[in-house]
Amino acid sequence: MTALAHEVIPVADDEPVADLDTFLWETWKAMDLPEGYRAEIIEGSIEVSPTGRVRHGVLINRLRRRLESHLGDGEHAVHHDLNLIHQGKVWVPDLFIASADAVEDLGPTELGVAVATVEAAIEVVSPGRRNLERDRIRKRREYARAEIPLYILIDDFDGDGAVVLLTQPNPDKAVYEEEHRVPYGTDAVIPSGPAKGFAIGAAITAP
């Protein structure tokens, strides 16, 4: 398959949900993407996108190093570049926190990590209207439906930059009931879960 910079494979709205889910899942499994691209199933479409720019990678690496130090050798670890699987949906967050065993126990033929083991998903927002909508809106709804307890957005494009902490997912409404937005320059402190007390501040978000 030849992937474009960002490709969405739409499906008909009137297809039965079960058949649609199966079609998307089987199509996703059969995809052979070029190096540097990833495919996700998000709200009824397969979305293909390239890996991020340098700034995107810098923020992820800064955050990962500090999270690893914070979590230490406990039961949970920070992971990246892995699929999250939930009821025929597939997401690839920039980072996520899950039990260390959730990844270590995967067999070589398994396609990803079960969402039930995930304590937090983290996305570093990329530029471009579709990228902004994916992370701020579509993935926000998907992660809430999957009841991921914490969704963190690191968003260079929210005013002068902001970290958004979303908690208390309501799967029936596909929303997070609690939202805490912290402008860059002020510490955004994770309120609960394995990374409780971890601060996302200027050391991570600085230009």
Side-chain angles (χ1 to χ4, degrees):
M1 171 183 176
T2 301
L4 302 175
H6 186 104
E7 180 177 345
V8 178
I9 302 176
V11 293
D13 291 337
D14 57 356
E15 291 188 50
V17 172
D19 291 346
L20 171 59
D21 289 345
T22 301
F23 169 75
L24 289 170
W25 177 249
E26 295 300 328
T27 301
W28 177 83
K29 287 196 298 181
M31 295 177 77
D32 183 14
L33 295 176
E35 185 176 353
Y37 286 82
R38 63 184 184 180
E40 302 174 276
I41 302 175
I42 303 174
E43 294 196 329
S45 294
I46 296 175
E47 299 197 16
V48 178
S49 56
T51 54
R53 302 178 182 181
V54 171
R55 167 68 175 171
H56 189 265
V58 166
L59 289 173
I60 292 170
N61 288 330
R62 286 176 183 170
L63 181 57
R64 181 175 184 177
R65 287 195 301 269
R66 288 165 174 81
L67 270 173
E68 286 174 339
S69 177
H70 182 84
L71 293 171
D73 295 325
E75 295 180 358
H76 293 86
V78 58
H79 309 279
H80 79 121
D81 199 27
L82 287 167
N83 301 316
L84 298 187
I85 308 293
H86 179 68
Q87 296 179 352
K89 308 297 190 300
V90 183
W91 311 303
V92 188
D94 291 317
L95 296 171
F96 66 93
I97 298 172
S99 66
D101 292 342
V103 172
E104 296 295 334
D105 291 345
L106 290 176
T109 62
E110 294 186 71
L111 297 174
V113 178
V115 164
T117 68
V118 176
E119 297 289 344
I122 303 165
E123 301 285 2
V124 174
V125 178
S126 296
R129 179 182 61 83
R130 185 169 291 279
N131 292 327
L132 296 175
E133 289 178 352
R134 181 180 63 241
D135 291 340
R136 292 176 178 173
I137 300 173
R138 297 196 300 278
K139 278 195 170 182
R140 178 172 175 158
R141 290 193 294 245
E142 292 280 60
Y143 291 162
R145 290 186 185 106
E147 296 186 82
I148 294 176
L150 171 64
Y151 180 26
I152 301 172
L153 282 163
I154 300 177
D155 193 342
D156 279 355
F157 311 98
D158 181 352
D160 292 327
V163 177
V164 181
L165 305 176
L166 299 161
T167 56
Q168 298 187 25
N170 183 327
D172 295 328
K173 296 181 179 180
V175 299
Y176 282 91
E177 302 285 5
E178 294 292 332
E179 175 178 339
H180 187 48
R181 178 184 176 277
V182 182
Y184 282 4
T186 302
D187 285 352
V189 180
I190 293 178
S192 59
K196 180 178 180 179
F198 178 81
I200 303 172
I204 293 170
T205 61

